[in-house]
Amino acid sequence: MNIGVIGGGMMGLALAYRLSQQGHKITVFESNKQLGGLTTHHDYGPFVWDRFYHVILPSDTYLINFIKEIGLGEQLRWRSTLTGCYIDEKLYSISNSVEFLRFPPLTFIGKLRLAITLLYGSKIKNWRRLETIPVEDWLLKLSGKNTYEKLWKPLLLAKVGENYKRVSAVFIWSYIKRLFSARDSSLHKEQLGYVAGGYKSVFDQLDKLISASGSQIRTGAKVEYIAPCLQGGVWVEHNGEKEHFDKVIFTGPVNILQQVAAPELVNISATDGVEYLGVICMALITRKALVPYYIVNLADQRIPFTGVLGMSNLVSLQETAGLHITYFPKYVSADDPLLQQSDDEVRKLFFRGLRLIFPEITTDDIVAVHINRAAKMQPLQVLNYSSLVPKVVTEHNDFFVLNNSQFVNDTLNNNTVVKHVDNFINKNLF
Ligand SMILES: Cc1cc2nc3c(=O)[nH]c(=O)nc-3n(C[C@H](O)[C@H](O)[C@H](O)COP(=O)(O)OP(=O)(O)OC[C@H]3O[C@@H](n4cnc5c(N)ncnc54)[C@H](O)[C@@H]3O)c2cc1C
């Protein structure tokens, strides 16, 4: 069958790879010049690495199997890492149970209630009930006011800004579930992983395998309109051309779907409610490590970014020309003016926060600063979110939607992407 796949991110390429292995002829359309979408790479000068920070958990079995299947199993690397927390103007290590028990900002009762929240949350299976409960109410009830104000509220503000008041308990529950599945995994317990060469090597390999099967990947090909064909199949318009496909699968964000899909293909009104969060991420390249942790959770409203990701505590320095890369993300609403500010303005703002946490940092330590952004990063999991997302099977037999807005009970990650692709393939819809 002749199938068009719109979007050359992880979803689109995993899908194109699986369908091309089944003997279908695929054409992938990617509007950017580079493949990878949110998982794409960036040229940092002395080295190339992911635009945003990515980690693989030992429990990411769908993703790990996929990486092995495309021949990159030998490129997987695993490393033990540490976790930190910046709270009350101090940096604490909370990398193991003993450190957590010592963690001064929370009282003994507060820690107990936090542990109960995590344990109870990890056991919950009926997430649909959680969709109707505001995350704030759920956490206050389970963890108590003190732990909520000290830990959860700053974390919610960090992840979704003031939107946290509209977010359901599924949002935090899915994080807890992912955290616990990582700890339960027997292989590489407590370790985190990555692919040598970063996600660029994954996309290069997929590009090679998909092209070798006779399918095509077109970059710089922005799809402008998708419409049904009276004789069957679907038209795809891009760069002034119109092409016919037997089936088309759309993998981009919902707002783009609304713009490009003809009303006969998909019920647009049902998808009106999906709101997106954006991300602004400063990548700092330094001569020495800023922190010994892979991740530092920030619970301090004076700091403009929401976490510190010491990527070089996970990734070998050989990957980054002997230099250290640290990411500083900030999650904002998709219409936040910060997303429109110049790199220089963002850098100045983020440096004010940087100096509060790392007052000893000097300009000599810094090799380069890169500001990366994504306006449509992640849907906001508001109350009853699952009723807002587009269905995989649409109003038209030959048009399908498979995108990350459909992760109604999961966090946004590439394991879930591959899981959704595998489920789609197993349903044998064509
Ligand atoms: C800051 C950050 C940190 C992350 N950390 C992790 C992590 O640690 N581990 C992990 O597993 N995942 C992580 N992720 C998530 C991971 O990047 C996503 O799971 C993944 O990128 C989602 O892929 P996707 O294909 O669904 O969407 P996207 O990557 O958004 O791909 C959609 C593609 O569709 C294209 N497109 C849209 N409209 C059109 C059009 N009209 N025509 C043609 N093409 C179009 C876009 O250009 C894009 O390339 C992180 C993401 C971010 C932003």
Side-chain angles (χ1 to χ4, degrees):
M1 225 180 269
N2 194 14
I3 302 171
V5 170
I6 298 162
M10 192 66 188
M11 186 81 86
L13 285 205
L15 192 59
Y17 169 72
R18 287 260 190 267
L19 291 170
S20 65
Q21 295 303 105
Q22 292 185 338
H24 296 294
K25 187 174 173 297
I26 314 299
T27 305
V28 177
F29 296 93
E30 168 52 52
S31 52
N32 288 323
K33 290 206 179 84
Q34 241 172 239
L35 289 175
L38 292 170
T39 324
T40 200
H41 61 274
H42 181 80
D43 186 351
Y44 290 96
F47 60 91
V48 168
W49 196 254
D50 299 359
R51 179 168 291 165
F52 301 111
Y53 48 93
H54 285 94
V55 68
I56 300 173
L57 303 187
S59 54
D60 286 346
T61 46
Y62 286 91
L63 178 62
I64 294 168
N65 289 338
F66 184 74
I67 289 170
K68 287 181 180 164
E69 198 184 315
I70 61 170
L72 296 181
E74 295 295 309
Q75 311 297 321
L76 278 165
R77 306 278 181 269
W78 296 98
R79 196 159 163 188
S80 298
T81 58
L82 302 173
T83 301
C85 185
Y86 184 81
I87 187 165
D88 295 340
E89 298 180 36
K90 282 199 192 95
L91 203 49
Y92 298 94
S93 179
I94 44 165
S95 306
N96 55 47
S97 315
V98 175
E99 285 178 350
F100 175 69
L101 282 172
R102 282 200 200 119
F103 187 52
L106 296 184
T107 60
F108 177 72
I109 299 289
K111 281 173 202 154
L112 198 67
R113 291 192 73 169
L114 178 62
I116 289 168
T117 310
L118 297 177
L119 199 64
Y120 172 72
S122 72
K123 303 280 178 228
I124 293 178
K125 298 271 179 290
N126 180 9
W127 59 272
R128 289 200 181 268
R129 195 181 57 85
L130 298 181
E131 268 206 320
T132 60
I133 307 172
V135 68
E136 183 175 38
D137 294 359
W138 193 68
L139 289 171
L140 269 170
K141 191 171 160 206
L142 287 171
S143 290
K145 195 165 169 48
N146 186 263
T147 305
Y148 177 75
E149 293 291 339
K150 275 266 173 219
L151 199 83
W152 289 118
K153 190 173 168 188
L155 279 176
L156 286 174
L157 280 167
K159 287 280 176 203
V160 293
E162 288 297 333
N163 294 307
Y164 77 90
K165 292 182 185 122
R166 296 188 294 128
V167 164
S168 87
V170 172
F171 177 73
I172 282 292
W173 167 80
S174 53
Y175 273 95
I176 295 175
K177 189 172 61 121
R178 186 160 159 82
L179 188 86
F180 267 78
S181 67
R183 295 183 80 87
D184 283 352
S185 167
S186 52
L187 189 70
H188 302 296
K189 204 171 178 193
E190 308 284 321
Q191 292 195 318
L192 299 178
Y194 66 98
V195 181
Y199 265 100
K200 183 176 186 304
S201 41
V202 174
F203 286 100
D204 285 350
Q205 180 76 349
L206 283 170
D207 190 355
K208 201 169 92 187
L209 295 173
I210 293 167
S211 305
S213 72
S215 290
Q216 288 186 38
I217 297 180
R218 301 199 200 144
T219 50
K222 183 174 178 189
V223 169
E224 279 131 19
Y225 199 59
I226 317 167
C229 173
L230 284 180
Q231 289 75 34
V234 178
W235 291 111
V236 170
E237 287 183 32
H238 64 94
N239 307 61
E241 282 179 46
K242 193 171 162 185
E243 278 183 69
H244 180 268
F245 292 94
D246 300 322
K247 307 278 175 191
V248 166
I249 309 162
F250 181 88
T251 72
V254 179
N255 69 307
I256 310 265
L257 175 70
Q258 287 171 307
Q259 286 162 22
V260 301
E264 303 92 299
L265 291 178
V266 67
N267 185 350
I268 305 285
S269 61
T271 64
D272 268 350
V274 177
E275 281 172 63
Y276 278 81
L277 288 175
V279 65
I280 299 159
C281 191
M282 177 171 83
L284 198 64
I285 317 298
T286 52
R287 285 178 230 286
K288 53 188 187 197
L290 294 185
V291 283
Y293 311 105
Y294 170 66
I295 181 159
V296 178
N297 296 303
L298 292 179
D300 189 326
Q301 289 193 54
R302 297 168 311 148
I303 313 282
F305 41 82
T306 52
V308 179
L309 281 295
M311 202 69 205
S312 301
N313 298 311
L314 169 64
V315 170
S316 158
L317 286 185
Q318 284 173 355
E319 300 277 3
T320 52
L323 298 166
H324 294 259
I325 176 164
T326 310
Y327 295 93
F328 300 84
K330 179 172 175 68
Y331 300 93
V332 292
S333 296
D335 57 359
D336 194 297
L338 195 62
L339 278 164
Q340 308 306 327
Q341 286 192 7
S342 68
D343 286 4
D344 216 32
E345 285 168 315
V346 175
R347 188 181 53 75
K348 277 188 191 137
L349 176 72
F350 277 34
F351 264 55
R352 282 203 286 275
L354 190 73
R355 294 225 153 79
L356 286 174
I357 310 183
F358 308 108
E360 68 288 356
I361 193 165
T362 69
T363 42
D364 282 351
D365 298 328
I366 300 169
V367 177
V369 186
H370 296 253
I371 310 291
N372 290 316
R373 303 170 179 77
K376 298 280 183 295
M377 184 223 156
Q378 184 177 7
L380 194 64
Q381 280 180 321
V382 292
L383 294 174
N384 298 311
Y385 172 73
S386 65
S387 65
L388 305 172
V389 306
K391 303 259 182 311
V392 174
V393 175
T394 66
E395 279 70 11
H396 194 281
N397 285 342
D398 298 327
F399 183 67
F400 300 84
V401 176
L402 194 68
N403 71 7
N404 55 47
S405 76
Q406 295 159 342
F407 301 175
V408 293
N409 59 350
D410 265 309
T411 60
L412 176 72
N413 62 73
N414 284 327
N415 187 56
T416 312
V417 169
V418 178
K419 184 169 102 180
H420 277 242
V421 168
D422 287 356
N423 288 345
F424 182 86
I425 297 289
N426 291 338
K427 277 188 190 139
N428 263 324
L429 292 167
F430 38 87

